[in-house]
Amino acid sequence: MAWFGGLAFVAIGLAPLVWLQRRERAATWRKRRDILAACLSLLDAGEITLGRDGFPCLTGRIAGRQIRAELLPDSLTLRRLPQLWLSLTILTPLPAASSLGVLVRPSGGEFYARTPELPLRLDVPAGFPSEAMLRGGPGASALLPRISKVFAALLEDPRVKEIMLTPRGLRVIHQVAEGQRGAHLLLRQCDFGDARVETTTFLRLYDGLEAIAAAVEPTERRAASARPGLRA
């Protein structure tokens, strides 16, 4: 029965490690849950739901527009630490728009990107990052002169990875944080520490998308959907 005693000894030795792992996992999930917490008050009828990986998704409305903010962890890129991206979407009809997307520093591994799916490759205008990919659908070339300045203004933020304009709405992908080296190298975990999406960042991205919509839509419609000035 010596083997049984040996197994019991191993089990006793592993118990603290299992407890520690569970504690660390619970702490990591609490941190993930809080990443978008500060932005909840910005939305009317705002709601946060958690995905199976513990990352939150925020939905609600600003000035009547449906908003969706979700977090996209990316640990697939080789030779680089995991990245955490914020996908902020404004769902609003833009019937005058063609599909147009810009992706900064494309590597081919951006699973979340939609720009490469568009059929037409376009020349990158002045004011855009030199390492950007610009693609669109039919009619995008005619639309580009109207929106290039507002696209460029949003792209001045070096953490902006992609901007998408479609007849159904707009989306921006923004880098929130880079994973902690130790957790990634030792445990292959996506630990983003105490990363937070601040309200100032959220509203800057939102206002950038609204500026693009304003360049596409008639002036009278934009006036009716401007966000309240009390948000700051």
Side-chain angles (χ1 to χ4, degrees):
M1 297 295 290
W3 62 270
F4 181 79
L7 288 177
F9 178 79
V10 171
I12 293 173
L14 287 177
L17 296 178
V18 173
W19 175 83
L20 180 62
Q21 183 184 43
R22 289 179 177 175
R23 189 186 70 170
E24 291 298 317
R25 183 175 183 271
T28 297
W29 276 52
R30 283 195 297 271
K31 291 178 182 179
R32 292 179 179 181
R33 180 190 60 202
D34 293 338
I35 294 175
L36 288 174
C39 301
L40 180 62
S41 63
L42 300 175
L43 276 63
D44 298 323
E47 180 182 9
I48 290 181
T49 56
L50 299 180
R52 296 179 61 183
D53 55 6
F55 286 102
C57 176
L58 173 62
T59 57
R61 293 181 177 274
I62 294 179
R65 294 189 181 278
Q66 186 67 38
I67 307 296
R68 180 180 179 88
E70 55 188 325
L71 295 168
L72 307 174
D74 177 9
S75 60
L76 300 178
T77 305
L78 299 177
R79 300 185 299 277
R80 194 178 68 176
L81 293 175
Q83 305 292 308
L84 183 63
W85 305 100
L86 169 68
S87 171
L88 177 61
T89 302
I90 299 178
L91 297 175
T92 180
L94 298 169
S98 173
S99 293
L100 185 68
V102 58
L103 178 64
V104 181
R105 297 177 298 277
S107 66
E110 295 90 355
F111 66 89
Y112 47 79
R114 296 293 175 263
T115 298
E117 301 173 1
L118 298 175
L120 304 177
R121 181 136 194 176
L122 306 173
D123 293 333
V124 177
F128 280 45
S130 59
E131 64 277 28
M133 172 194 294
L134 182 64
R135 302 187 70 91
S141 295
L143 178 65
L144 187 57
R146 294 164 53 191
I147 54 85
S148 60
K149 288 185 178 181
V150 284
F151 259 66
L154 191 50
L155 290 169
E156 288 179 359
D157 182 345
R159 289 181 173 243
V160 168
K161 180 67 171 175
E162 184 184 40
I163 306 172
M164 280 292 299
L165 164 67
T166 77
R168 294 185 299 172
L170 304 109
R171 186 187 76 163
V172 60
I173 301 291
H174 183 268
Q175 183 192 41
V176 175
E178 189 170 69
Q180 297 188 352
R181 182 175 298 275
H184 178 62
L185 295 180
L186 296 177
L187 303 174
R188 308 306 294 178
Q189 291 182 348
C190 293
D191 186 352
F192 298 103
D194 295 321
R196 296 287 186 275
V197 176
E198 302 296 339
T199 56
T200 52
T201 299
F202 187 98
L203 289 177
R204 185 174 67 251
L205 296 173
Y206 172 84
D207 286 342
L209 293 180
E210 280 289 353
I212 295 172
V216 175
E217 290 186 327
T219 304
E220 60 272 14
R221 184 174 181 187
R222 303 303 315 148
S225 60
R227 71 173 172 87
L230 56 86
R231 303 183 189 276

